[in-house]
Amino acid sequence: METQTQTIKKETKVTTEKMTGAEAVIRCLLAEGVDLVYGYPGGAIMPVYDELYKYQDQLHHVLTRHEQGATHAAQGYARTSGKVGVAIATSGPGATNFVTGIADAQIDSTPMVCITGQVGSHLLGSDAFQETDIIGISTPITKWNHQVTKAEDIPTILAKAFYIARSGRPGPVLIDITKDAQFGELDFVYEKCKGVRSYKPVPETDPKSVVEAAKLIENAKKPMIVFGQGIILGEAEEELKNFIEKSGIPSAWTILGLSALPTAHPLNVGMVGMHGNYGPNKLTNECDLLLAIGMRFDDRVTGNLETYAKQAKVVHFEIDPAEVNKNVFADVAVMGNVKNTLAQILPLIKPNTYDSWVQEFRDYDKIEYDKVIKEELHPSKEGLSMGEVLRGINEETKGDAVIVSDVGQHQMIACRYAEFTKSKSNVTSGGLGTMGFALPAAIGAKMGVPEREVVAIIGDGGYQMTIQELGTIFQTRVPVKIVVLNNDFLGMVRQWQQLFFDKRYASTEMVNPDFVTIAKGYHIEAKRITKREDLQGAIKAMIASKEPYFLEVCVEKENNVFPMIPTGASVSDIRLS
């Protein structure tokens, strides 16, 4: 018998719309706040492109000239905007051309969702035209991947893809959608993903570890911080700055950590690693406490692990448990997002200064300046140096520009000498070291922060790996500034051949085309500089331009980048010549 107190359950009616899987893909992107995608059409993804055509007033598509360019552009966009980059391609070669960019994004923790078309599900495994097992190929280089064969699965899978790509330690996700799933119909409803069973993106912070870390800081006489991209990804720049200034600890950075702390900060002591600064490399093996914050102890940072910071206690602030004790043993691991963990430790430390310890870094700076930097920035020889080009760019941009660098000598010069006042200003291929990264990445970087100046620093070798993306610049008129430092060599390999292979320059000398004529063929203003007296005026004209601009600077052919830690050597064995 019913009573007056009977509980009546009200059902919430979910409104659905009937649509194709292809349209559902577009609607999912819009629901995730995506307004810009990079890609290249083809047969297996054509249904999605047909729907994209209908939504072009809401979702802007940038046609790159190669699928690899689409992934790098999506990376550049993600790195400057802080959003998830999106790239779309067809099956087979379209999908496999994504592989380099996906691998690059994986090792550099860049949030990216890649969508590929696939042959019809009834053809899977039959070696159909343009069928490739992109799921099998991309499994080792994605944070997650999934193949969709039914239209009704598209909303759930794409919601999960965006959640996984951006949460915790970010990374690339690939979703492969069969053609019949794109043509199929579903009752569309979209709910953002808020969690995935068995996936815990941010580990819990043990309060004891924070206390233990604070005690080690209190007892340290020569503490040193090395911070990485985890600061930028965790949006912890202010927390890092507060921590550094209260603790008084000298702080060095990895390549991907560059710009998280202003270059001119008095406790910024420079870059660690193979071509890093003299002081922070040398003093890594003299500090008594090493605070690793949002970095993963890459081999280019540590050199020989057998001799790396063995005298020091190590505190590792890290979001990814897989990185703790992987390369360097941590006496204390403080797990969690560094934005939160740095805020937690700040009240536990006392204001301090380490004047004599900081002075040791500055003494090494003086040695490095006299033996390396002075000649690089103010060369006495007739030929132009890469460093003086960066000096000229600094003077014109006042440290406010985004610098996108490719891979090689010019990359190391850019990271060593570029000056930054804002975070998310250094975009480069770190872990994978992808030549050809910079040109398409600069396109995405500029679209991510259209109000900022974006300057690509590229070598003559890497430039030609993705030179076709000049066509993307021509079509979009995105006003990126391109600087090619041309030494007619694959410079970094040549440097190693000079130092370790008795100057046997095997297959490293380049016979280059007329880069200026090529740029002008794409209707991009272009200039070539060979003399020092013309350099600053050319840089000034480039930065002042509101249009895309190409500047080729012919630099010394056999200049080397120093300091340098030879492969397998200790960080203490860093060479100045």
Side-chain angles (χ1 to χ4, degrees):
M1 182 176 176
E2 291 184 0
T3 65
Q4 291 180 340
T5 58
Q6 181 181 20
T7 302
I8 301 173
K9 293 183 179 179
K10 295 182 180 180
E11 294 185 3
T12 302
K13 188 175 181 180
V14 177
T15 303
T16 63
E17 294 180 66
K18 183 74 75 175
M19 65 181 65
T20 65
E23 185 176 6
V25 170
I26 305 303
R27 293 286 294 275
C28 291
L29 296 178
L30 292 172
E32 288 291 342
V34 177
D35 56 10
L36 179 63
V37 299
Y38 301 89
Y40 205 97
I45 197 67
M46 206 174 296
V48 168
Y49 269 86
D50 187 54
E51 293 298 334
L52 185 59
Y53 181 82
K54 302 172 187 177
Y55 283 87
Q56 56 188 308
D57 59 332
Q58 300 175 59
L59 186 58
H60 179 55
H61 177 269
V62 176
L63 175 65
T64 57
R65 295 307 186 263
H66 191 285
E67 292 88 354
Q68 181 182 345
T71 56
H72 293 327
Q75 287 177 272
Y77 175 84
R79 294 270 288 271
T80 58
S81 71
K83 301 176 183 178
V84 177
V86 180
I88 303 177
T90 192
S91 62
T96 57
N97 284 343
F98 266 9
V99 167
T100 297
I102 293 171
D104 196 290
Q106 172 77 341
I107 200 165
D108 281 355
S109 304
T110 303
M112 182 165 67
V113 170
C114 293
I115 298 170
T116 54
Q118 185 55 275
V119 300
S121 56
H122 66 290
L123 293 172
L124 290 172
S126 71
D127 292 332
F129 176 68
Q130 291 193 334
E131 180 197 359
T132 299
D133 179 12
I134 194 60
I135 295 298
I137 291 170
S138 66
T139 294
I141 56 169
T142 49
K143 192 175 177 185
W144 181 62
N145 65 13
H146 188 86
Q147 187 174 76
V148 178
T149 58
K150 296 178 181 178
E152 56 263 33
D153 294 337
I154 288 173
T156 301
I157 295 303
L158 279 178
K160 186 175 177 182
F162 276 89
Y163 174 74
I164 291 174
R166 67 164 65 98
S167 60
R169 179 181 180 177
V173 171
L174 181 137
I175 305 301
D176 192 46
I177 308 176
T178 61
K179 201 166 184 179
D180 51 322
Q182 296 172 52
F183 278 125
E185 289 194 334
L186 72 154
D187 293 317
F188 179 80
V189 61
Y190 193 78
E191 294 182 16
K192 285 193 176 184
C193 182
K194 298 179 180 177
V196 177
R197 189 175 65 179
S198 78
Y199 168 56
K200 193 172 184 180
V202 181
E204 292 182 10
T205 304
D206 182 353
K208 291 181 181 178
S209 68
V210 180
V211 173
E212 290 173 9
K215 287 181 179 177
L216 287 175
I217 294 170
E218 185 176 351
N219 294 326
K221 304 298 183 187
K222 293 185 174 184
M224 174 179 168
I225 291 170
V226 177
F227 62 87
Q229 191 185 202
I231 298 296
I232 297 170
L233 295 172
E235 298 182 340
E237 293 91 345
E238 192 63 28
E239 287 78 8
L240 175 71
K241 184 169 176 285
N242 292 340
F243 177 70
I244 289 171
E245 291 178 351
K246 184 176 181 181
S247 67
I249 299 174
S251 302
W253 35 269
T254 67
I255 283 177
L256 295 185
L258 174 56
S259 84
L261 185 71
T263 313
H265 193 283
L267 288 173
N268 186 332
V269 294
M271 181 169 75
V272 292
M274 181 171 281
H275 290 284
N277 293 107
Y278 197 43
N281 275 303
K282 277 281 192 182
L283 295 175
T284 293
N285 281 355
E286 295 184 31
C287 67
D288 59 3
L289 176 64
L290 182 62
L291 299 161
I293 307 178
M295 56 86 78
R296 61 184 180 87
F297 291 112
D298 175 76
D299 66 294
R300 287 293 171 106
V301 165
T302 65
N304 186 346
L305 285 169
E306 297 299 319
T307 60
Y308 182 77
K310 291 300 180 183
Q311 79 295 334
K313 295 286 186 182
V314 176
V315 177
H316 197 173
F317 290 79
E318 180 57 54
I319 197 170
D320 185 355
E323 294 295 347
V324 176
N325 298 329
K326 184 176 81 173
N327 294 326
V328 173
F329 173 78
D331 296 274
V332 177
V334 183
M335 304 304 301
N337 188 318
V338 289
K339 186 175 184 67
N340 298 324
T341 54
L342 287 175
Q344 289 178 43
I345 199 171
L346 190 66
L348 304 182
I349 62 172
K350 299 174 182 176
N352 206 344
T353 55
Y354 298 91
D355 292 340
S356 60
W357 172 232
V358 172
Q359 187 58 46
E360 291 188 44
F361 288 88
R362 299 311 174 200
D363 291 343
Y364 277 116
D365 287 348
K366 179 67 165 57
I367 295 170
E368 184 179 350
Y369 182 83
D370 289 341
K371 294 193 174 182
V372 177
I373 297 174
K374 183 178 180 180
E375 181 61 25
E376 184 63 47
L377 295 185
H378 305 278
S380 57
K381 59 181 77 171
E382 183 178 338
L384 290 163
S385 73
M386 296 185 186
E388 66 182 312
V389 179
L390 266 297
R391 177 171 60 87
I393 291 170
N394 290 335
E395 289 174 4
E396 291 301 323
T397 63
K398 311 302 181 188
D400 290 337
V402 174
I403 302 294
V404 184
S405 55
D406 211 80
V407 172
Q409 286 182 316
H410 63 279
Q411 176 190 35
M412 296 298 103
I413 291 291
C415 291
R416 282 178 53 81
Y417 298 115
E419 296 174 359
F420 297 115
T421 59
K422 301 174 183 176
S423 186
K424 295 187 177 73
S425 294
N426 175 54
V427 179
T428 194
S429 172
L432 196 64
T434 303
M435 290 178 68
F437 171 86
L439 186 59
I443 295 170
K446 180 63 177 178
M447 291 179 172
V449 284
E451 73 283 0
R452 297 187 66 188
E453 196 69 65
V454 173
V455 182
I457 307 294
I458 316 178
D460 49 308
Y463 181 57
Q464 293 178 83
M465 288 193 170
T466 51
I467 195 171
Q468 72 278 350
E469 298 309 329
L470 291 176
T472 307
I473 295 172
F474 172 43
Q475 185 165 347
T476 61
R477 302 310 299 172
V478 60
V480 296
K481 310 301 168 60
I482 306 157
V483 179
V484 166
L485 302 179
N486 184 2
N487 58 9
D488 293 314
F489 267 112
L490 299 177
M492 187 60 83
V493 183
R494 185 213 55 75
Q495 176 169 334
W496 283 53
Q497 289 171 333
Q498 177 184 337
L499 298 176
F500 308 115
F501 292 89
D502 296 326
K503 293 188 177 182
R504 293 188 294 275
Y505 296 154
S507 302
T508 48
E509 189 162 10
M510 304 285 286
V511 178
N512 288 316
D514 185 335
F515 290 129
V516 168
T517 297
I518 292 171
K520 287 182 176 179
Y522 285 99
H523 298 276
I524 295 170
E525 189 172 357
K527 192 164 188 177
R528 185 172 190 256
I529 297 299
T530 60
K531 297 178 180 179
R532 181 164 292 115
E533 56 264 30
D534 299 328
L535 178 62
Q536 199 59 35
I539 292 173
K540 188 178 186 68
M542 176 184 72
I543 298 301
S545 174
K546 302 300 182 184
E547 296 291 324
Y549 198 105
F550 173 83
L551 179 63
E552 177 187 6
V553 183
C554 298
V555 297
E556 282 281 338
K557 291 188 68 169
E558 296 188 66
N559 272 7
N560 291 328
V561 183
F562 286 104
M564 178 182 182
I565 302 169
T567 300
S570 167
V571 291
S572 299
D573 297 327
I574 185 168
R575 296 171 50 170
L576 291 174
S577 61

